[in-house]
Amino acid sequence: MKFPDTFHSHELLIAFSFFLLTLPLFSSSLPEGKGKEVPYYMTSDVKEVAGKSFDYIVVGGGTTGCPLAATLSDNFSVLLVERGGSPFGNPLVTDKRFFGFSLLQTDEYTSVAQSFISTDGVQNHRGRVLGGSSAINGGFYSRAREDFVKKAGWDEELVKKAYEWVESKVVFPPELTPWQSVVEFGLLEAGILPYNGYSLEHIEGTKIGGTAFDQCGKRHTSADLLEAGNPKNLVVLLNATVNNIIFSNNGKANESRAHGIRFIKSDGSSNHMHEAYLNKPGNSSTWGDVILSAGALGSPQLLLLSGIGPHDHLKDLNIPTIVDLQEVGEGMQDNPCIAKLVDTMPQKRLPEPPEVVGIADNFKFIIQAGVLPISSNASRMPIAAKLAFPISKGKLELDSTDPRQNPSIKFNYLAKEKDLHECVKMVQLLDKVTKSQSVSSFLGIKPQEKLMSNSDELRKLCKNNVRTFYHYHGGCIVGSVVDKDYRVYGVKGLRVIDGSTFQESPGTNPMATVMMLGRYQGVKLVEERREICN
């Protein structure tokens, strides 16, 4: 059996996965972009920050780090360090019509998206800009389901308030395009029921989700949430990469405390180290924290670079061991994705982020569609399915002691037989959607009644065509690397608060929940400090 309209050729996989195209191919067609000015509390001058002290230091101005820093700044002085630059005024970030173009323009040090290839051979990207991946993703917003919140042990009422805080600032109901409406009907034709209309909840069936793009086609990222903070208490250092955490021994046997960070300029122009520190209060119990919110790759990478991780691995790289914590970098997962191109050839359609979703088979399968650019004047129309609960797990390790370089990462896509079995079922459902009357009529083609059924061929298709849905997580999992309050085991004054602590990707897309997590944990930290002071 042949699958002429699926990803079975290397060239097509490269095209859809946004493999590297050079900026000169399309830079002339992009406007300069005029957005809001960079706020006064943001700087790229490392000398303005070097040697100074703060109540909290947040490493990573991404999807979690921005709402976390904003919340803490209401009561404390906060330094937020982001390895990338500002998203404001950059059309690759802000303009809906350029959705996806940021993944076509990548370089070693300065692009808003940093590309990497896992050792599985799958192309991927991570955000490198204030706002993190919320500045380069599809902007689809959907909360985690109730079971996820209960399993995490979070305060359900506080979670609700944290979601609402985010939603009041950066989430909008979408105005469906014709293609998104067609996909919506295709999902229903395939039996993904009931129809739930517009909802921010993660519920089975077909629904319209929230979006980070407003009615004028402008993207709102987690960087916008910084506006809710106290600018007098907040310093945002851009284009600076944290090299490692500084520890000191507080006199007790084998007990180290984080008391600062070392950082370098991100652009590769200099390896000169600068330092910033935590304030030292009179009462040791009221110390603040260094908080890693650098993402599922960045946070475990920084722990390893700082000497927290498996001793033998650290020894190989001549990194002194602070804590022999074997689970750092373990439990890495990336939800397997299979995508099908429904158009027969590239066309000049405007890019479209996903706005509707099908959630099927007890939440196991997530199906969305968009229009994705492959060059300056051509795009393709994929419908993609994500396996929500894979059991295959991988590992993250250091390849280099340069924090600007990607770590080595293996996700082990579909390594477990159960995942492969579920992938076959998922592809069969995806096939029903792509061959629906609605999709076929929109494309002007005759509906194909024959569906994929050969199990061996479907297994082969899954193995050969698995790609990323960009929802990777793990590496600093709660209960293994951090406790329930996100404190790193074995040291004082260090926490990890981001998607690296998750054992599964929450909801349809994790953006909503990692934004919520920043607000939620910020409120919890303020309450914790208030109780100590009282």
Side-chain angles (χ1 to χ4, degrees), residues 106-168:
T106 61
D107 58 37
E108 186 173 9
Y109 293 121
T110 62
S111 55
V112 298
Q114 182 179 14
S115 64
F116 68 96
I117 301 176
S118 68
T119 58
D120 312 272
V122 176
Q123 175 84 3
N124 216 317
H125 293 87
R126 53 195 294 218
R128 183 169 54 191
V129 61
L130 189 67
S133 292
S134 73
I136 64 173
N137 65 13
F140 192 91
Y141 185 96
S142 184
R143 299 178 178 184
R145 61 180 178 146
E146 292 181 2
D147 285 354
F148 185 93
V149 174
K150 290 178 180 177
K151 191 184 299 183
W154 295 334
D155 181 319
E156 294 181 36
E157 184 59 31
L158 185 55
V159 165
K160 181 175 180 291
K161 290 180 179 178
Y163 273 128
E164 291 172 348
W165 181 84
V166 171
E167 290 153 12
S168 68

Side-chain angles (χ1 to χ4, degrees), residues 480-498:
S480 297
V481 176
V482 299
D483 65 17
K484 64 181 180 61
D485 294 313
Y486 298 86
R487 299 185 185 96
V488 176
Y489 289 124
V491 293
K492 300 289 187 181
L494 179 61
R495 304 188 196 227
V496 179
I497 301 176
D498 60 21

Side-chain angles (χ1 to χ4, degrees), residues 284-297:
S284 62
S285 64
T286 59
W287 272 76
D289 298 291
V290 173
I291 303 173
L292 303 187
S293 296
L297 269 62

Side-chain angles (χ1 to χ4, degrees), residues 1 19 90 120 183 200 261 267 281 313 334 375 428 473 478 486 527:
M1 182 183 295
F19 271 27
N90 184 341
D120 312 272
V183 173
L200 299 181
I261 57 170
D267 61 9
H313 179 49
D334 186 17
S375 72
Q428 290 173 324
H473 51 279
V478 171
Y486 298 86
E527 290 178 350

Side-chain angles (χ1 to χ4, degrees), residues 159-366:
V159 165
K160 181 175 180 291
K161 290 180 179 178
Y163 273 128
E164 291 172 348
W165 181 84
V166 171
E167 290 153 12
S168 68
K169 296 168 174 59
V170 296
V171 182
F172 308 87
E175 295 179 0
L176 294 191
T177 64
W179 172 231
Q180 290 297 310
S181 296
V182 165
V183 173
E184 183 180 36
F185 282 110
L187 294 168
L188 294 170
E189 280 186 56
I192 303 178
L193 301 168
Y195 178 63
N196 296 306
Y198 175 70
S199 175
L200 299 181
E201 301 296 338
H202 189 52
I203 44 181
E204 273 203 282
T206 295
K207 72 162 192 171
I208 302 166
T211 180
F213 293 96
D214 64 23
Q215 278 64 43
C216 296
K218 297 296 181 183
R219 182 198 293 269
H220 295 257
T221 76
S222 65
D224 293 46
L225 299 175
L226 291 170
E227 297 175 3
N230 181 351
K232 294 181 180 180
N233 282 342
L234 182 62
V235 175
V236 178
L237 177 60
L238 302 173
N239 299 304
T241 299
V242 174
N243 187 80
N244 65 284
I245 302 151
I246 304 171
F247 292 98
S248 61
N249 194 295
N250 65 2
K252 296 183 180 179
N254 299 320
E255 186 176 69
S256 296
R257 173 180 286 278
H259 76 93
I261 57 170
R262 293 189 181 93
F263 54 93
I264 56 178
K265 295 175 72 173
S266 296
D267 61 9
S269 63
S270 170
N271 290 321
H272 180 71
M273 293 284 180
H274 304 269
E275 296 183 355
Y277 311 102
L278 289 174
N279 282 327
K280 295 182 180 180
N283 183 349
S284 62
S285 64
T286 59
W287 272 76
D289 298 291
V290 173
I291 303 173
L292 303 187
S293 296
L297 269 62
S299 289
Q301 179 185 26
L302 265 172
L303 287 181
L304 293 170
L305 288 170
S306 302
I308 299 176
H311 172 73
D312 290 345
H313 179 49
L314 299 176
K315 184 178 179 182
D316 289 341
L317 291 158
N318 297 315
I319 299 174
T321 301
I322 301 296
V323 181
D324 183 9
L325 195 54
Q326 295 291 319
E327 295 300 314
V328 174
E330 296 287 349
M332 296 297 301
Q333 287 187 308
D334 186 17
N335 297 85
C337 167
I338 299 294
K340 186 175 181 181
L341 294 175
V342 294
D343 51 353
T344 56
M345 60 186 295
Q347 297 184 41
K348 194 172 183 179
R349 296 177 183 270
L350 280 176
E352 287 184 21
E355 296 171 340
V356 300
V357 63
I359 304 167
D361 200 1
N362 197 26
F363 298 95
K364 289 189 293 188
F365 306 142
I366 310 292

